[in-house]
Amino acid sequence: DAGVTQSPTHLIKTRGQQVTLRCSPKSGHDTVSWYQQALGQGPQFIFQYYEEEERQRGNFPDRFSGHQFPNYSSELNVNALLLGDSALYLCASSLANYGYTFGSGTRLTVV
Amino acid sequence: KQEVTQIPAALSVPEGENLVLNCSFTDSAIYNLQWFRQDPGKGLTSLLLIQSSQREQTSGRLNASLDKSSGRSTLYIAASQPGDSATYLCAVMGNTGFQKLVFGTGTRLLVSP
């Protein structure tokens, strides 16, 4: 049973560029959430998708946007990258609220 | 606003010791609490999930307790091993609708042979 799959694993971008990160949820899960984890910090909630709609959003600017597809997979897009966007981006999937399964993350470095 | 605190921030013990990691949260209106393990640069591995109606959960050498009224949870690791070295994160979920996880900053554990 495949868990949560994220791609790519590592990414280097230049300030001002745009990036798209991808996530495939665990089989049977219908909700996808995205988190940003800066070095030495706990993950911070970006947003959550359910039934192809954004259900909740954390304290992140509009430069962060997302999408969920009919097969429950999801994308995270970040526009106009800043140095401070460098972090580990984690995708988590769940079925309703019963426990989250996290992927291995995408390490984004903005130079 | 829910805030989660983990103490200690770092812990170094010799192999074989029993140890306790602490997690506290400010809002007791939670749906569940989850403990995760994170190896350096990696994703999160779920260790234990405790629903708000439960007092504890056990898995192998791990035991997690929850005291919702006092806003506290502990993760007990028995007979620690070098392979237990990692960062341990505590996260709580609120009890209204589809809710986000709110994480602590973690406890970095080093178990020496």
Side-chain angles (χ1 to χ4, degrees):
Chain A
D1 181 22
V4 178
T5 304
Q6 291 188 243
S7 63
T9 55
H10 296 86
L11 203 53
I12 299 175
K13 289 287 189 178
T14 303
R15 275 183 301 173
Q17 285 189 318
Q18 178 265 343
V19 67
T20 297
L21 310 182
R22 295 177 175 82
C23 172
S24 294
K26 182 177 179 179
S27 177
H29 285 184
D30 59 4
T31 302
V32 173
S33 303
W34 287 90
Y35 289 79
Q36 180 195 65
Q37 186 178 24
L39 201 60
Q41 300 297 313
Q44 297 292 315
F45 175 75
I46 303 175
F47 41 54
Q48 182 182 86
Y49 278 85
Y50 173 72
E51 292 188 343
E52 303 179 51
E53 290 189 357
E54 183 183 291
R55 290 187 66 94
Q56 286 193 83
R57 188 179 185 91
N59 189 25
F60 280 80
D62 292 344
R63 297 186 298 109
F64 289 77
S65 64
H67 189 76
Q68 186 179 34
F69 299 94
N71 66 354
Y72 306 118
S73 66
S74 177
E75 289 182 348
L76 164 65
N77 301 292
V78 186
N79 294 322
L81 285 166
L82 304 174
L83 295 179
D85 295 332
S86 296
L88 180 67
Y89 288 84
L90 295 164
C91 172
S93 70
S94 63
L95 179 62
N97 280 335
Y98 192 78
Y100 279 66
T101 301
F102 280 80
S104 298
T106 294
R107 171 70 63 186
L108 172 64
T109 302
V110 183
V111 297
Chain B
K1 176 187 173 185
Q2 179 73 271
E3 293 183 358
V4 179
T5 303
Q6 291 188 245
I7 294 173
L11 184 62
S12 182
V13 300
E15 181 178 6
E17 276 205 4
N18 302 323
L19 55 98
V20 174
L21 307 182
N22 296 292
C23 171
S24 61
F25 46 95
T26 55
D27 185 350
S28 62
I30 66 169
Y31 185 78
N32 61 42
L33 182 146
Q34 205 164 353
W35 282 93
F36 294 91
R37 168 187 172 136
Q38 185 173 34
D39 293 295
K42 303 297 184 182
L44 307 183
T45 299
S46 179
L47 298 174
L48 291 165
L49 181 147
I50 310 177
Q51 298 293 348
S52 61
S53 58
Q54 297 175 320
R55 296 284 294 184
E56 66 178 333
Q57 283 287 330
T58 298
S59 176
R61 295 182 293 108
L62 305 180
N63 175 276
S65 67
L66 173 64
D67 184 342
K68 197 172 65 167
S69 61
S70 68
R72 294 180 181 180
S73 176
T74 61
L75 178 65
Y76 175 82
I77 302 177
S80 59
Q81 302 171 357
D84 295 331
S85 298
T87 295
Y88 291 80
L89 292 156
C90 164
V92 298
M93 179 185 293
N95 63 3
T96 57
F98 282 90
Q99 286 288 331
K100 62 184 179 183
L101 289 175
V102 178
F103 284 84
T105 54
T107 294
R108 192 170 62 254
L109 173 65
L110 175 64
V111 182
S112 304

